[in-house]
C-alpha cells in the first residue's frame, strides 16, 4: 500500500496477528546516482514496540519492495530482521555448491 504521509516511504505493509502488529516499510533516500532503499521494521506487542532500521538494503526499488513483501509474508519481527537479512545475504553470496546444502 502506498502512503501519503511521507513521500519517502515507497511501500508500507502491516500484518496483524492475535498477539502483535508487524509493520514493514521501504524508505527511499536520495544519493548522487539515484536512491538507497532502506528497511524499517516495527513489532508492536501490547505496550512494547521493537524497531529495526537497516540502511540501504538495496539500490534497486523493485528488489527492495520484494524484500519488504517477503518479510511481511514471513511475519519477520524487528528483533529478527538483522539475522534474516544476514542469512539472505549469505545465501546470495555463497558459492553455488554451498547454496545447494
Amino acid at each position: 500500500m502506498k502512503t501519503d504521509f511521507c513521500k519517502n516511504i515507497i511501500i508500507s505493509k502491516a500484518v496483524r496477528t492475535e498477539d502483535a502488529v508487524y509493520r514493514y516499510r521501504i524508505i527511499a533516500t536520495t544519493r548522487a546516482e539515484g536512491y538507497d532503499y532502506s528497511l524499517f521494521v516495527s513489532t508492536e506487542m501490547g505496550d512494547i514496540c521493537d524497531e529495526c532500521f537497516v540502511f540501504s538494503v538495496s539500490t534497486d526499488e523493485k528488489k527492495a519492495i520484494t524484500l519488504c513483501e517477503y518479510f511481511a509474508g514471513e511475519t519477520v519481527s524487528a528483533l529478527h530482521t538483522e539475522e534474516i537479512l544476514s542469512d539472505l545475504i549469505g545465501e546470495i553470496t555463497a558459492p553455488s555448491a554451498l547454496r545447494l546444502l
Side-chain angles (χ1 to χ4, degrees):
M1 141 177 87
K2 293 238 179 198
T3 57
D4 293 330
F5 62 89
C6 181
K7 65 181 180 178
N8 291 21
I9 296 178
I10 303 304
I11 187 172
S12 178
K13 295 214 170 251
V15 176
R16 298 178 197 283
T17 65
E18 288 183 26
D19 301 331
V21 177
Y22 302 85
R23 299 182 194 279
Y24 309 91
R25 296 172 192 90
I26 294 294
I27 302 166
T29 305
T30 307
R31 61 184 179 93
E33 300 87 31
Y35 292 94
D36 277 310
Y37 296 95
S38 302
L39 176 66
F40 182 70
V41 178
S42 63
T43 306
E44 303 164 21
M45 298 175 85
D47 293 339
I48 298 170
C49 181
D50 295 313
E51 299 177 325
C52 182
F53 178 79
V54 182
F55 179 73
S56 192
V57 293
S58 183
T59 56
D60 181 278
E61 182 177 346
K62 289 181 183 178
K63 288 180 183 177
I65 289 171
T66 299
L67 180 69
C68 181
E69 291 171 343
Y70 171 80
F71 270 58
E74 296 294 322
T75 56
V76 175
S77 71
L79 293 175
H80 294 103
T81 296
E82 290 181 21
E83 179 183 344
I84 300 298
L85 279 175
S86 176
D87 288 347
L88 289 173
I89 290 169
E91 288 179 16
I92 292 168
T93 60
S96 58
L98 292 177
R99 275 186 262 144
L100 296 175
L101 296 175

